[in-house]
Amino acid sequence: MISKRKLSSLERFFYDRSRLNLHSCFFLGLQLNQLPDKHQIAHALRSTIANHPKLHQNVAIDPEDNIPYIKNVDTIKFDDVVEYVSWDGFDDNTICHIFQTYNFPYNIEKPLWKVLVYAKENRLLLLLDHALFDGMSAVIFWKSFMSSLSSDARDDFDLLYELTGDPMVQEDSHVYENWPTSWSSTLTKAIAGVIFKFMPSVITSVGKDQLRFNGYSFPDSLLTHKPDDDSSYEIRNNNRQLNLQVQPDHLNGILSACKSHQVSLTSFITALISMSLQLKIEDGDYSGSKIMIDIPMNTRGACADVLDIPDTSVIMGNFVAGLNVEYNLGESEELWQIARTVQAALNKQTKTDILETVNKVRLLDVADTTEFIRQKVKATGPSGTFEVTNLGFQEFADVQSNHGYLVEDAVFNEPQGLSDIFTCCIISTPRGGLNCSISYPRALESCLKPCFDYSRDYLEQELYQEKHT
C-alpha cells in the first residue's frame, strides 16, 4: 500500500488559512518581449510539470483518519491551468480582482496553480496556493518554463499531464520534520502546546507598545464577512496597490551602496520603509511606537546544509520560516544605521540561531492550526506592522537558450493578509530592475501614502548616497 504524505504543520497552517477563506493566492508575473502561442506555452508547461511533482498534486482528506494529505492529480488539461484574460489594464483594480476571484479548492482533480495570460501586455501571471508552494517555488516554476520555451514547438496543447503507474509523492515527509531539536526547543514546544490549548490569546495578543494605526480597525478593515459560527470568512482584498520601481542602472547603485555598508537589499528596503513611517506618519494617526516587521526566509539552503541532503530535496514546495525585526519610532532616523540594525537581526536568525528559527516554525506541531487561525482573527490586531518578502535578483533563463523570448519585467504580489497591516513584495530582473509591490488598506491611504511617496522620492533622488556622520 502506498503511503500518503500528510501535511506538515507549516503546510497545515497555510492549508487551514486558505480553507477558511483567509487567503486566496499569491502571484509572480512575467512580462515578455513577445507572447508565446498556445502550442509553445503547452510545451513549456508540460516539461515544467514533469520536472516538479508538486505541480500535479492537490490536498485531500484521508477518509481513514480525516487528516489532510498530498494527493496526485490524475490529469491536467491546458484549460485547467491556463486562462486568457482581457483586462483593461494591469492596475489596482485588476490586482484586487485577482485576489478576490482566484483561489484553489482542495480535494478536487486539479492542481493548486494557474497561469493567467494577459496578451495585451505580453504578461504571464502564475497564481499559486500557499499550502504547497512559496515565493521561490514561483521563481523555480518560471525558470523551468522559460528554459523550456521553444519557438518551434507545435505540441498538442490539450493534455499537459497524465498520471501513469502507481501514484506516488515526491517525499515521505516535509524536511522540517527531520529538523534537529534540543532540550530547550522540546521544552518550549511543550509549554507552547499548553498555552495554545488553554490560553491561545496569550500567543495572538498584540503588545500595548506596538504601533497601531487609528484608521485601521481589526478585523473590520480586513474582513467584509465574519460569521457568528466562525465557519468561513471573507477578506476585503480591496487594498491600494503602489509600486516602487528602480531601473537597472539605478539598482546597481543601490546594490553598490548596500555592499559598502555591508547590508542586504532586503535590509535596505526594510530600513527605508521604517524610516518613512518614522518621518511621515502624523502623531494623531497612531499609538504605540514599536514597528513589528516580518521577513519570510527561504530555508532551502539551510535545510540542505543542516540536514546534509541534496539541493534537489528542497526545490518546489513550502520552505519558509518567519524572521522578525523590531524597530522603535523613537530611534535613529538615519537610513544606514537602521539597515545595519535590521541586518544584524537577520544575521542572527539566519545564521547564529538558524536551528531555533526553524524550530519556532515547528511550534505549530503542537497547535490546532484551525483554532490558532481563528484566535488570530479575534486578536486586537495583526501581529506584524508590515512584511517584506524579497525573491531576489532573477534572470530566469539564459538569453541564448530562450529562442528569442526575453523577460522584460517581473512583478510579485500577495493578497491582503491576516498577519500584517501592509506588505512589500520585491523581485528584481536584469531588464526590468526592481519592483516593490506595496499593498496597504484603503482605510489608511491618507496616513500611509505620504510615507510611500517619501520612499519613492528618496530612491529617485538617490538620497541614500549622501554621507552621514
Side-chain angles (χ1 to χ4, degrees):
M1 180 178 178
I2 297 172
S3 62
K4 298 175 180 178
R5 209 280 256 171
K6 302 298 174 69
L7 298 185
S8 69
S9 59
L10 172 68
E11 294 165 329
R12 180 67 182 263
F13 171 82
F14 289 119
Y15 162 81
D16 283 333
R17 188 179 66 172
S18 295
R19 184 178 58 81
L20 292 170
N21 203 30
L22 288 166
H23 191 278
S24 53
C25 65
F26 66 94
F27 71 76
L28 174 58
L30 302 186
Q31 187 170 32
L32 306 184
N33 62 323
Q34 57 181 321
L35 191 69
D37 64 26
K38 285 187 176 183
H39 299 281
Q40 294 156 352
I41 291 174
H43 177 83
L45 287 179
R46 190 173 290 110
S47 174
T48 300
I49 294 169
N51 289 333
H52 300 290
K54 282 286 191 301
L55 295 175
H56 55 76
Q57 294 170 349
N58 197 304
V59 178
I61 299 296
D62 190 338
E64 295 183 1
D65 54 18
N66 207 36
I67 296 176
Y69 72 99
I70 297 176
K71 177 185 181 298
N72 281 286
V73 172
D74 290 339
T75 61
I76 299 176
K77 295 184 177 180
F78 188 87
D79 289 342
D80 291 335
V81 292
V82 179
E83 180 180 340
Y84 284 77
V85 294
S86 55
W87 302 318
D88 292 332
F90 189 67
D91 55 13
D92 283 32
N93 292 332
T94 300
I95 293 171
C96 291
H97 169 76
I98 291 171
F99 295 133
Q100 291 169 349
T101 306
Y102 295 93
N103 60 8
F104 297 96
Y106 301 117
N107 204 29
I108 66 171
E109 288 296 316
K110 291 184 180 180
L112 298 174
W113 59 275
K114 173 173 271 193
V115 173
L116 302 183
V117 182
Y118 180 35
K120 182 180 178 181
E121 296 185 3
N122 292 344
R123 291 185 187 270
L124 302 173
L125 281 82
L126 172 66
L127 282 52
L128 292 163
D129 181 87
H130 217 328
L132 299 186
F133 303 103
D134 57 13
M136 287 308 299
S137 296
V139 171
I140 292 164
F141 178 103
W142 282 128
K143 285 185 175 181
S144 177
F145 179 93
M146 291 300 298
S147 65
S148 301
L149 265 183
S150 171
S151 57
D152 299 326
R154 288 294 175 264
D155 302 31
D156 173 60
F157 60 79
D158 182 43
L159 185 65
L160 299 181
Y161 169 80
E162 186 171 23
L163 180 66
T164 56
D166 293 331
M168 299 183 68
V169 295
Q170 187 179 18
E171 68 287 298
D172 295 328
S173 63
H174 193 286
V175 294
Y176 282 5
E177 296 182 12
N178 300 319
W179 196 257
T181 59
S182 62
W183 180 86
S184 61
S185 63
T186 302
L187 179 61
T188 299
K189 184 184 288 188
I191 295 172
V194 174
I195 295 175
F196 276 135
K197 185 174 182 178
F198 296 106
M199 297 176 290
S201 62
V202 173
I203 302 294
T204 58
S205 62
V206 177
K208 294 181 178 180
D209 57 347
Q210 184 169 327
L211 176 71
R212 298 172 190 249
F213 294 103
N214 297 336
Y216 185 80
S217 175
F218 188 85
D220 295 339
S221 293
L222 174 72
L223 303 176
T224 59
H225 177 60
K226 182 179 178 296
D228 293 336
D229 60 2
D230 285 343
S231 60
S232 184
Y233 304 90
E234 185 177 332
I235 286 188
R236 293 183 181 276
N237 275 325
N238 65 344
N239 270 4
R240 297 296 297 173
Q241 307 290 333
L242 182 147
N243 185 36
L244 293 182
Q245 188 171 34
V246 178
Q247 296 300 317
D249 290 345
H250 194 167
L251 177 59
N252 290 334
I254 293 175
L255 293 175
S256 178
C258 287
K259 184 177 180 180
S260 67
H261 288 275
Q262 298 181 315
V263 301
S264 67
L265 181 63
T266 299
S267 295
F268 171 83
I269 296 294
T270 302
L272 177 59
I273 299 299
S274 299
M275 183 180 69
S276 299
L277 292 176
Q278 185 178 48
L279 295 176
K280 292 300 177 180
I281 53 175
E282 301 290 339
D283 291 342
D285 288 340
Y286 71 96
S287 62
S289 61
K290 185 180 292 185
I291 301 173
M292 306 295 289
I293 307 157
D294 293 318
I295 303 177
M297 173 191 177
N298 167 23
T299 64
R300 287 168 174 78
C303 288
D305 291 342
V306 171
L307 299 174
D308 192 23
I309 57 177
D311 292 340
T312 53
S313 301
V314 283
I315 302 178
M316 189 75 72
N318 195 338
F319 302 100
V320 294
L323 309 181
N324 308 110
V325 179
E326 298 181 7
Y327 181 72
N328 196 295
L329 290 176
E331 297 180 13
S332 169
E333 298 178 1
E334 198 272 306
L335 175 76
W336 293 112
Q337 184 173 339
I338 302 172
R340 285 190 290 271
T341 299
V342 173
Q343 189 65 52
L346 297 186
N347 287 344
K348 186 174 188 296
Q349 293 172 77
T350 60
K351 297 175 183 177
T352 309
D353 296 341
I354 184 59
L355 295 182
E356 181 183 349
T357 296
V358 175
N359 274 320
K360 285 182 179 179
V361 177
R362 293 207 59 193
L363 292 177
L364 290 168
D365 291 355
V366 297
D368 178 332
T369 49
T370 298
E371 182 58 26
F372 176 52
I373 292 166
R374 295 195 195 284
Q375 289 295 328
K376 286 173 72 70
V377 175
K378 294 177 181 178
T380 55
S383 57
T385 308
F386 67 94
E387 175 186 293
V388 176
T389 304
N390 185 7
L391 297 186
F393 185 86
Q394 304 295 341
E395 296 188 12
F396 290 106
D398 185 348
V399 173
Q400 301 301 318
S401 64
N402 272 3
H403 300 273
Y405 293 105
L406 301 175
V407 175
E408 298 286 358
D409 206 0
V411 61
F412 168 46
N413 211 335
E414 61 184 321
Q416 189 173 1
L418 176 65
S419 298
D420 298 274
I421 298 173
F422 67 91
T423 56
C424 309
C425 295
I426 307 166
I427 188 162
S428 306
T429 57
R431 298 171 70 87
L434 176 145
N435 282 306
C436 175
S437 300
I438 299 177
S439 175
Y440 64 98
R442 289 178 182 268
L444 294 178
E445 182 169 12
S446 62
C447 173
L448 290 179
K449 189 173 184 299
C451 302
F452 304 138
D453 288 342
Y454 176 82
S455 296
R456 177 183 282 115
D457 292 342
Y458 198 91
L459 291 172
E460 290 179 351
Q461 297 173 26
E462 301 185 39
L463 299 180
Y464 55 86
Q465 298 285 16
E466 294 182 1
K467 294 183 178 180
H468 298 275
T469 56

